Amino acid sequence: MYPLKFHPILKERLWGGTKLAEKLNKPITSDITGESWELSGVKEDVSRVANGDLKGTSLNELIDQWGERLLGRSVMERFGSEFPILIKFIDAKQDLSIQLHPHDELARSRHNSFGKTEMWYIMDADEDANLIVGFNQPMTREKYVRSLEDRTLLDYMNYERVKPGDTFFINTGKIHAIGAGVLLAEIQQTSDITYRVYDFDRRDKEGKLRELHTDLALDAIDFEKKDDFVVTYERKQDVVNPMVDCPYFKTQFLNLQKDLVRDTQSRDSFTIFMCVHGEAVIANENGSASLKKGETVLLPASSARIEIRTSGCELLEVTV
């Protein structure tokens, strides 16, 4: 199997904008496009190949045909034939709702789904743009419920000013929101389960307030104040810089000014590259694919050697 690119699945959102087209050259058709799903096995939103002989083939069909040669034996032992992560680019023209995601056990019992652990890599940010991540003081269930009742929740939120290159790891249960003016790359478990707890009293295009999940969220929130979300990593040139290593995915940062060869013969996982700056050609034994800023490529676990040809690019390398 050669390096595979997929058609983006574009999602309109109440808070979306036009940066996915302006910054990442996505073929959006509205000025409220909030998400580009780059690689998805989510039911009803399964990615399809955009290049080569397998063009038009769905990700699930590839898994059925190639199995562990695509995913990796250990990946299939853990996750079966379900693609375990979801790759996105997100453009927030307005603030997203304040939300959180359940852990695996709770998501499985309530929704027959994985939980949603995720990470964000900031690609572009307006001046003074920020994120909400966690609480700014110790919280209790009682204090949280009272803040919803008296509409003071925002007073307890922790705001983080952001700039390109900043990276955040969002555990399940951590309350969070992407702020207006932020364009980011997101890597997450395959799950679309979100508990929305506050939405700034916004109304949808039909004039209705969006649904909140106050009761569901109560048993899922981590009320502790934890400063565990900022990812500290190096940006050394032409080497592999570790970023995140969690049970669901591993991400490394590549800041390349010349070609690099990755020996993946013993890697029992597929490999994903997200291009966040510049351009490259990604090749394995069976072919190659060009990769520009805002594009994503998937290489099968059977790849023994991956060659990155470039004169300048920044990549997120993702494995399981």
Side-chain angles (χ1 to χ4, degrees):
M1 294 180 70
Y2 56 92
L4 299 166
K5 297 172 73 173
F6 293 81
H7 293 290
I9 300 170
L10 302 172
K11 300 283 188 178
E12 289 189 358
R13 299 292 190 238
L14 183 65
W15 40 261
T18 56
K19 281 187 179 179
L20 291 173
E22 296 162 359
K23 303 287 187 179
L24 305 185
N25 201 35
K26 298 298 177 185
I28 69 174
T29 58
S30 82
D31 59 2
I32 55 165
T33 305
E35 301 185 9
S36 176
W37 290 21
E38 298 290 297
L39 192 48
S40 167
V42 174
K43 190 176 180 180
E44 312 300 337
D45 282 302
V46 179
S47 296
R48 290 191 175 273
V49 177
N51 67 321
D53 292 342
L54 294 168
K55 184 175 181 178
T57 308
S58 76
L59 178 59
N60 288 350
E61 289 169 339
L62 292 175
I63 294 171
D64 289 342
Q65 180 177 354
W66 297 91
E68 64 184 43
R69 286 177 292 172
L70 173 63
L71 298 183
R73 179 175 297 178
S74 65
V75 175
M76 292 202 74
E77 287 173 351
R78 291 180 60 200
F79 301 104
S81 59
E82 186 167 356
F83 198 71
I85 56 177
L86 173 59
I87 301 291
K88 301 177 182 177
F89 293 112
I90 296 178
D91 169 25
K93 185 176 181 179
Q94 300 179 35
D95 295 328
L96 271 67
S97 62
I98 297 176
Q99 57 190 245
L100 61 128
H101 310 295
H103 55 67
D104 284 346
E105 185 178 346
L106 194 58
R108 189 177 300 113
S109 64
R110 286 179 173 177
H111 313 285
N112 192 30
S113 170
F114 291 126
K116 188 176 174 183
T117 297
E118 60 191 350
M119 69 163 280
W120 297 332
Y121 176 89
I122 308 301
M123 296 180 65
D124 187 76
D126 293 351
E127 188 176 356
D128 297 330
N130 57 49
L131 309 174
I132 288 174
V133 190
F135 296 104
N136 62 18
Q137 59 186 274
M139 286 291 284
T140 64
R141 183 186 180 103
E142 294 71 27
K143 188 190 293 187
Y144 168 77
V145 170
R146 191 162 59 250
S147 77
L148 294 180
E149 293 171 348
D150 60 21
R151 304 174 68 81
T152 59
L153 178 64
L154 294 178
D155 295 340
Y156 297 96
M157 297 293 94
N158 173 59
Y159 290 83
E160 294 283 331
R161 186 79 57 83
V162 295
K163 64 184 184 304
D166 289 349
T167 301
F168 297 84
F169 182 70
I170 311 297
N171 282 309
T172 55
K174 188 177 294 297
I175 200 162
H176 62 272
I178 301 171
V182 175
L183 175 70
L184 59 77
E186 179 176 277
I187 300 155
Q188 59 158 91
Q189 289 177 266
T190 292
S191 171
D192 205 25
I193 306 300
T194 294
Y195 295 158
R196 189 183 301 124
V197 299
Y198 182 70
D199 194 39
F200 307 96
D201 297 323
R202 287 182 296 202
R203 297 180 182 272
D204 62 22
K205 56 187 176 183
E206 297 176 353
K208 298 178 181 178
L209 292 170
R210 291 205 295 172
E211 180 184 7
L212 299 180
H213 310 101
T214 306
D215 292 337
L216 288 172
L218 274 176
D219 293 330
I221 294 179
D222 182 354
F223 290 106
E224 290 189 51
K225 180 184 182 300
K226 297 177 180 176
D227 298 325
D228 59 353
F229 46 81
V230 174
V231 176
T232 302
Y233 69 100
E234 296 190 81
R235 299 174 64 90
K236 293 180 180 178
Q237 288 186 0
D238 303 318
V239 297
V240 176
N241 299 282
M243 299 179 82
V244 169
D245 186 345
C246 75
Y248 307 104
F249 53 84
K250 299 175 178 65
T251 306
Q252 308 190 87
F253 180 76
L254 305 182
N255 176 14
L256 304 181
Q257 301 301 313
K258 61 182 182 180
D259 297 352
L260 180 72
V261 174
R262 303 285 282 132
D263 181 358
T264 54
Q265 193 162 359
S266 61
R267 177 177 288 176
D268 191 19
S269 167
F270 57 86
T271 302
I272 297 167
F273 291 104
M274 303 181 77
C275 186
V276 295
H277 182 73
E279 57 186 72
V281 172
I282 311 295
N284 68 359
E285 303 86 346
N286 297 311
S288 63
S290 62
L291 197 62
K292 296 180 180 179
K293 180 180 178 180
E295 293 185 330
T296 302
V297 66
L298 170 69
L299 291 104
S302 59
S303 301
R305 182 177 185 271
I306 299 173
E307 183 177 349
I308 306 168
R309 305 169 193 154
T310 185
S311 59
C313 71
E314 294 176 2
L315 306 174
L316 302 182
E317 180 187 271
V318 186
T319 59
V320 173

